[in-house]
Amino acid sequence: MNNETTYLCIGCPLGCRLEVEEDAAGAIVEVRGFACKRGKEYAIQEHTAPQRTVATTVAVRNSSWARLPVRSSAPVPKDAVVEICRRLHAVETTAPVQMGQVIVANVLGTGADMIATRDMPLA
């Protein structure tokens, strides 16, 4: 018996309802419901190895603001997101910081860097 999983595509503004059918061994048999190539690719990726972009904050010293917004430079495995956020909670950087500056390189060995998403001048 085949198993079917549904996803809502975020690959483009259409928001297609995707259906991924897999056989008893876990192999994808068919992907349905996509209106563009990105939808099919998204469904396969989400079904086999879901990834997310992480956006959070880290502490910053010597600035008018206490927190610096950061994001991952690339999507990371979904199951690593909570641990990445937990580790970033302990990170502290010092102003000045420039937008795009790497705050944590290769976070948790994922290959993605955590980068500043705004300038943070000295206080």
Side-chain angles (χ1 to χ4, degrees):
M1 182 174 165
N2 290 347
N3 184 30
E4 190 174 286
T5 307
T6 60
Y7 300 98
L8 179 62
C9 185
I10 59 170
C12 78
L14 292 176
C16 296
R17 181 182 166 104
L18 306 171
E19 298 173 352
V20 177
E21 184 179 340
E22 66 179 14
D23 63 20
I28 295 176
V29 175
E30 185 179 10
V31 177
R32 295 181 294 274
F34 58 92
C36 67
K37 179 181 166 187
R38 288 186 295 182
K40 183 176 183 179
E41 292 168 355
Y42 173 80
I44 292 169
Q45 185 271 317
E46 187 67 11
H47 193 74
T48 58
Q51 297 182 337
R52 299 292 183 268
T53 299
V54 177
T56 188
T57 61
V58 297
V60 61
R61 290 180 298 211
N62 299 335
S63 178
S64 299
W65 297 278
R67 308 293 295 176
L68 170 71
V70 296
R71 70 165 174 81
S72 56
S73 61
V76 299
K78 183 180 176 184
D79 60 359
V81 171
V82 171
E83 181 62 19
I84 288 170
C85 290
R86 190 183 70 73
R87 297 246 181 128
L88 290 174
H89 185 73
V91 171
E92 186 175 72
T93 192
T94 304
V97 176
Q98 291 189 332
M99 184 168 50
Q101 180 178 329
V102 174
I103 304 303
V104 177
N106 191 22
V107 65
L108 285 186
T110 61
D113 299 330
M114 295 305 297
I115 58 173
T117 59
R118 66 163 290 165
D119 290 336
M120 192 63 70
L122 285 169

